[in-house]
Amino acid sequence: MTDYEKYRQICREARGTGILLVLLILFWLAAGFGAYAVWGPAPVAFGLPVWAIGGTIGVWLFAIIGVWVLLHTTFRDMSLDESGEDASAKGGEHDD
Amino acid sequence: MTEPLTTGGNPAALLPLLMFMAVMLGIGFFVQKAGSSGRASDFVSQYFIGRRSLGGFVLAMTTVATYSSVSSFVGGPGMAWQIGFGWIYMAVVQVTAIFLVLGIFGERVALLARRIDAVTVVDIIRARFQSDGLAALAAFIIVLFFCGTMTAQFVGGAKLFATVTGYSYEMGLLLFGLVVVIYTSVGGFRAVALTDTCCAILMMVGIVLLLYYVLQAGGGYDALMAGLAADHPEMFEPLSAGHMPIGLYLTQWILVGICTIALPQSVVRGISYKDTPSLHQAMLIGTVVVGFMNIGINFTGIMAHGVLTGDLASYGGVDYIIPRTIVAVMPPALVGLAIIGPLAASISTISGLLIVASSAVVKDVYLHHQQQRGREVTARHLRILSMAVTAVIGVAVFIIALTPPSLIWIINMFAFGGLETAFFWTLLLGLFWKRANRLGAILSMAGGTVAYCATQALGFKVMGLHQITIGITVSLVFFLVGAYIGRPTSKQVLSLFFPPRD
């Protein structure tokens, strides 16, 4: 991967992370305030109302699944050192 | 000063704490011994970023532990005790804290740091905007706000120690305050990362332990929930009968959710890991752990309502709910174990901030100044200086904490918002927008921080929202103004940060 390709890939990953954030906020709204508006405070499981489950554990699970999907669809492994031709041009001075 | 909940001191509580502190110190000295001597540049890399060698698990744990402070374990669950499930609904926004910072900045700063031989976030800012003045301002803001946050951690931890064990506040400060300063000074970043990992694990163990005893003392989960539903139905509403305004949710999304990506103590972890699989692993593990901690400890706070059934004033305020719960439900022999969790949160945050504050002084100011003058600094000189600066900052904060300011928790959140205001746009736009330039960054960092501090001092708010909303908005406006009226960044610098196609 060239340095340019790495930069493009990093931008894609950052955009993907931002999209996950937006989706998480929407889920948080729907699972919490949305669920409360529809089902109210009546307990449905473990003595808890729908919004208290969806808006807490639900958001957490959504985030975990979202990160897993993000890592498997958008993120790619890459060398953190500079690409070969650039590194040799600059003398390849690195810590690692 | 803090009023103890037990009298005469509980020796059984001290033993596990002393063992814990001994392990932390042992890690610090072990890391120092294992570290190689070598050149000055090797020492800087070793001491301030652990020679870029962190694996996924340690990276996740150190990022979570530094982010999770003692207030997450004391003040937060105390509020959950008062508010109910609305508080967890608000706190859960923090599940974004790890994947956002590592996902957006993790690979970007890792690549750049290797390319420009950067060791700190300020190194990257200096190289991107070609401004020593901006770098000095960034280093100053880091040291200033970090000192505020560290003081809050010292005071919070020592108060907790005093109220739960019955020993004095000063003894608590001496015990864990000096330990954290010593192991951070001698071991540097790698010691911080390893001790953070131990701390994060102990935080989770502490949560499970406390929840178990709370449920037992309250007659079991079903009985506790039935009691809550009957006596406090508002705790099952997201707005908690007006105790949780919508504005607070919005503020928290900004303050402890989205803007946390710009906290220098989190971003610097992007420079410290060894490869991208480690980063990806850390994003997942970090999200699991930070969610578990936030939901777990605040849920425990709510459940504690079945144990502490009086009104809040009778317990001395929200900060005393968890200490009183520990004393009320834990066997005396296990109190020491229960208190390790919150204290671990405290010392892991202090150590994480201390090493970054030290790097701001040694690397970003002193070493840069010497290099500019063409003076060579030996590895030995740098080692002594780095340890000394770390120790001096730590001891200075320790001394401030001996006579704690009264509004310590407000200072903590004030510092959090100040750092985010200063660094959010400078880092985000600086690393992803070619048009971002020196003038915009300087105006943004200086203007945003001044606006934030001024509105905090005056108590001025817009629509009742926390001043972070003002700071971050002013910071953005200044950045854009500077970007459009200031001189563009040179092509040479841009090609370094934004590699051309060919």
Side-chain angles (χ1 to χ4, degrees):
Chain A
M1 216 187 263
T2 65
D3 286 343
Y4 175 76
E5 288 167 337
K6 283 180 189 173
Y7 171 66
R8 298 307 307 164
Q9 173 61 21
I10 286 172
C11 287
R12 265 195 295 277
E13 293 174 1
R15 244 190 327 269
T17 308
I19 290 169
L20 176 60
L21 171 68
V22 173
L23 291 176
L24 189 68
I25 292 173
L26 293 175
F27 182 85
W28 177 85
L29 279 169
F33 287 125
Y36 181 75
V38 176
W39 290 290
V44 291
F46 307 108
L48 293 169
V50 175
W51 78 267
I53 300 170
T56 58
I57 300 271
V59 171
W60 181 34
L61 293 177
F62 186 92
I64 293 170
I65 294 167
V67 170
W68 189 87
V69 171
L70 187 69
L71 292 174
H72 284 82
T73 57
T74 309
F75 278 68
R76 285 172 59 188
D77 287 338
M78 65 172 80
S79 164
L80 293 174
D81 294 313
E82 289 181 274
S83 59
E85 57 271 31
D86 288 357
S88 57
K90 291 180 182 179
E93 287 185 11
H94 298 292
D95 286 7
D96 301 356
Chain B
M1 198 58 71
T2 310
E3 189 183 331
L5 301 179
T6 58
T7 52
N10 174 8
L14 267 189
L15 188 62
L17 275 178
L18 289 174
M19 287 170 62
F20 170 60
M21 297 302 170
V23 170
M24 298 292 104
L25 278 178
I27 291 173
F29 283 104
F30 171 77
V31 168
Q32 187 206 25
K33 204 174 175 188
S36 61
S37 46
R39 295 178 301 154
S41 59
D42 288 342
F43 172 76
V44 168
S45 170
Q46 164 73 26
Y47 191 78
F48 291 121
I49 53 169
R51 221 187 285 275
R52 295 173 186 149
S53 60
L54 298 192
F57 183 72
V58 175
L59 175 63
M61 291 307 202
T62 184
T63 312
V64 171
T66 299
Y67 173 76
S68 304
S69 68
V70 68
S71 61
S72 312
F73 278 75
V74 180
M79 287 300 295
W81 178 91
Q82 187 186 16
I83 300 287
F85 288 93
W87 190 262
I88 307 186
Y89 183 41
M90 185 205 70
V92 82
V93 306
Q94 293 173 79
V95 296
T96 58
I98 307 303
F99 82 77
L100 268 186
V101 68
L102 296 181
I104 291 177
F105 288 133
E107 289 178 5
R108 187 80 172 112
V109 296
L111 271 167
L112 286 170
R114 283 161 172 80
R115 189 174 299 159
I116 62 177
D117 201 19
V119 172
T120 65
V121 174
V122 176
D123 277 340
I124 294 174
I125 290 173
R126 188 198 310 273
R128 171 66 178 88
F129 297 108
Q130 298 290 299
S131 169
D132 286 342
L134 179 66
L137 177 64
F140 174 74
I141 287 172
I142 285 174
V143 173
L144 184 72
F145 285 118
F146 276 18
C147 284
T149 310
M150 283 189 284
T151 306
Q153 303 305 309
F154 272 127
V155 174
K159 276 187 175 176
L160 181 72
F161 172 87
T163 51
V164 171
T165 65
Y167 292 102
S168 70
Y169 171 89
E170 289 79 8
M171 183 178 168
L173 258 188
L174 268 175
L175 179 64
F176 81 91
L178 285 186
V179 165
V180 67
V181 172
I182 291 170
Y183 80 68
T184 307
S185 303
V186 300
F189 184 86
R190 184 138 189 89
V192 168
L194 292 176
T195 51
D196 278 359
T197 304
C198 296
C199 286
I201 292 168
L202 287 168
M203 284 183 231
M204 290 190 281
V205 171
I207 290 168
V208 173
L209 202 63
L210 185 58
L211 180 58
Y212 171 78
Y213 279 102
V214 165
L215 291 175
Q216 199 180 52
Y221 178 79
D222 291 339
L224 281 168
M225 290 301 288
L228 279 179
D231 299 336
H232 302 281
E234 77 282 358
M235 292 178 78
F236 294 82
E237 298 170 8
L239 300 183
S240 190
H243 292 113
M244 281 291 294
I246 292 283
L248 188 54
Y249 282 106
L250 177 62
T251 294
Q252 291 300 306
W253 262 110
I254 298 169
L255 195 61
V256 299
I258 299 165
C259 288
T260 57
I261 64 168
L263 292 172
Q265 66 269 37
S266 297
V267 178
V268 76
R269 274 145 177 82
I271 304 178
S272 64
Y273 65 89
K274 62 181 175 188
D275 52 23
T276 52
S278 300
L279 178 83
H280 303 163
Q281 199 183 8
M283 285 172 67
L284 197 56
I285 295 173
T287 303
V288 172
V289 173
V290 81
F292 175 85
M293 284 186 184
N294 272 289
I295 295 173
I297 192 62
N298 286 305
F299 182 69
T300 305
I302 294 175
M303 291 294 103
H305 226 302
V307 181
L308 305 182
T309 52
D311 62 68
L312 184 62
S314 67
Y315 299 120
V318 290
D319 289 346
Y320 290 90
I321 294 298
I322 287 297
R324 283 185 180 275
T325 303
I326 290 173
V327 173
V329 305
M330 301 289 292
L334 290 181
V335 162
L337 273 179
I339 199 181
I340 283 177
L343 284 183
S346 171
I347 66 170
S348 58
T349 301
I350 294 169
S351 61
L353 299 182
L354 195 51
I355 197 69
V356 178
S358 172
S359 71
V361 175
V362 176
K363 174 71 173 68
D364 300 326
V365 178
Y366 172 78
L367 199 55
H368 179 75
H369 186 69
Q370 296 299 91
Q371 284 168 344
Q372 275 206 320
R373 293 185 163 208
R375 293 178 185 163
E376 194 174 332
V377 182
T378 65
R380 185 172 176 277
H381 176 71
L382 207 54
R383 180 177 299 108
I384 293 168
L385 184 72
S386 301
M387 289 183 191
V389 168
T390 309
V392 165
I393 295 174
V395 170
V397 176
F398 176 85
I399 291 169
I400 295 170
L402 279 173
T403 49
S406 56
L407 299 173
I408 202 70
W409 302 107
I410 295 174
I411 291 171
N412 192 30
M413 291 316 287
F414 165 70
F416 221 58
L419 287 165
E420 292 172 355
T421 297
F423 289 97
F424 187 79
W425 297 115
T426 301
L427 287 174
L428 191 65
L429 297 180
L431 296 184
F432 290 100
W433 191 39
K434 287 181 184 175
R435 183 139 198 170
N437 64 357
R438 182 189 309 169
L439 182 63
I442 292 173
L443 287 178
S444 171
M445 189 176 285
T449 307
V450 168
Y452 174 75
C453 293
T455 51
Q456 277 269 354
L458 297 170
F460 177 75
K461 293 182 176 180
V462 175
M463 293 188 293
L465 299 175
H466 188 277
Q467 288 87 351
I468 179 72
T469 51
I470 299 173
I472 211 80
T473 307
V474 171
S475 179
L476 173 63
V477 171
F478 277 155
F479 202 109
L480 295 177
V481 168
Y484 283 100
I485 66 170
R487 204 168 51 192
T489 307
S490 72
K491 284 183 179 171
Q492 190 187 2
V493 172
L494 283 181
S495 67
L496 196 63
F497 279 78
F498 303 92
R501 191 183 294 267
D502 308 313

